[in-house]
Amino acid sequence: MTFSEKLKQAMQELHLNQRQVCGMTGKSKSSVSQYLSGKQIPSEDVQSAIAVALGLESDYFSKSDEQVAVLPTAELRNGVIPRLDVEKAAKLLQMNHNTVRKGLQQGVFPWGYAIHTSDNRWVYFINAKRFAEIEGVKV
């Protein structure tokens, strides 16, 4: 399987759309689109970072086809990407929780994103594994 096929399979099994992948990985919409179409293949380091951001094993995209047929449920904690709440992330970063919320809303953090659901309401997602890897902390 190619990188794009493995990425599509992972997205399907994790029930993620392209926008969510962009938010989780910090990659632009055009980059993710290029990856999915097979027009661009990221370096091994970037592939590893994408895998971790999606809650997969870091070598997910470099494994043989037989090894990626089914996503490793133990790694996904029974099909769920491990999350971190805003308050805990703020405490670990020694920041105010409102600052972290604003950063997520503005898309400046590579380990999470915010979804605007209505006038003054937002839903926040922080990938705990990606957060720990980038910030160098144990979650």
Side-chain angles (χ1 to χ4, degrees), residues 42-50:
S43 69
E44 286 185 26
D45 288 344
V46 172
Q47 288 181 30
S48 178
I50 291 170

Side-chain angles (χ1 to χ4, degrees), residues 3-138:
F3 171 78
S4 65
E5 292 168 334
K6 289 178 184 178
L7 180 57
K8 288 175 192 174
Q9 178 182 339
M11 288 172 62
Q12 183 177 15
E13 292 186 28
L14 293 169
H15 307 288
L16 296 172
N17 62 37
Q18 186 173 339
R19 185 175 185 159
Q20 290 168 316
V21 171
C22 293
M24 293 170 74
T25 61
K27 298 295 174 192
S28 69
K29 184 178 176 184
S30 62
S31 290
V32 173
S33 178
Q34 295 272 323
Y35 299 157
L36 290 169
S37 69
K39 292 180 181 176
Q40 184 179 4
I41 300 171
S43 69
E44 286 185 26
D45 288 344
V46 172
Q47 288 181 30
S48 178
I50 291 170
V52 170
L54 298 179
L56 304 168
E57 294 175 2
S58 61
D59 62 349
Y60 176 81
F61 293 109
S62 62
K63 289 182 176 181
S64 67
D65 293 352
E66 298 81 31
Q67 293 175 301
V68 295
V70 177
L71 293 175
T73 54
E75 181 69 20
L76 293 174
R77 295 188 187 171
N78 298 321
V80 177
I81 296 171
R83 297 176 64 165
L84 186 64
D85 66 45
V86 173
E87 287 75 15
K88 183 163 184 180
K91 185 177 181 180
L92 290 167
L93 292 169
Q94 298 180 351
M95 298 175 100
N96 182 287
H97 60 90
N98 288 325
T99 304
V100 173
R101 281 188 172 87
K102 285 289 184 191
L104 291 167
Q105 291 170 12
Q106 295 170 2
V108 298
F109 296 126
W111 33 255
Y113 59 92
I115 300 169
H116 194 213
T117 58
S118 63
D119 287 339
N120 293 319
R121 301 218 184 252
W122 293 81
V123 174
Y124 302 94
F125 174 82
I126 298 173
N127 182 322
K129 189 171 182 179
R130 179 94 167 130
F131 180 92
E133 177 185 86
I134 291 173
E135 300 300 335
V137 296
K138 186 173 180 177

